[in-house]
Amino acid sequence: MVKSFEASIEFLYEMLAFVTNEALSIGFSSEQVQKIELAMEEALVNIIHHAYHDKPGDIDVQISSVFGQSITITLKDEGPPFN
């Protein structure tokens, strides 16, 4: 599943809710979801502040999973590369 969001702190909780709902729906526990949320919050805030420098842009959030076993979350942005 892929969803596109505006790269803005205003949409951070909407992005986190998307990830949280998907993780819960595929069988992860509340404790596991909290860890996923923490990692996602850090990654998303970094993209918003560093890739776009508070300028307009989008972040695509792609989630794939194996029910109750694994989740892969891919974030795509159009910001300049960072080494």
Side-chain angles (χ1 to χ4, degrees):
M1 174 174 284
V2 178
K3 190 165 181 181
S4 186
F5 297 90
E6 184 177 329
S8 170
I9 288 293
E10 294 174 33
F11 295 99
L12 176 63
Y13 292 107
E14 187 178 336
M15 289 183 262
L16 291 173
F18 171 67
V19 172
T20 296
N21 291 336
E22 288 299 310
L24 288 171
S25 74
I26 59 174
F28 285 92
S29 70
S30 294
E31 182 179 305
Q32 291 168 319
V33 170
Q34 287 176 343
K35 292 176 183 179
I36 293 168
E37 284 177 338
L38 181 61
M40 288 304 305
E41 183 173 5
E42 180 71 21
L44 290 165
V45 169
N46 283 342
I47 291 171
I48 292 165
H49 287 300
H50 300 293
Y52 292 110
H53 303 285
D54 297 319
K55 294 178 184 172
D58 293 320
I59 300 172
D60 291 339
V61 181
Q62 179 179 350
I63 299 174
S64 58
S65 65
V66 174
F67 188 82
Q69 294 181 15
S70 67
I71 186 168
T72 301
I73 304 168
T74 304
L75 304 175
K76 293 183 181 181
D77 64 74
E78 298 288 323
F82 178 78
N83 186 3

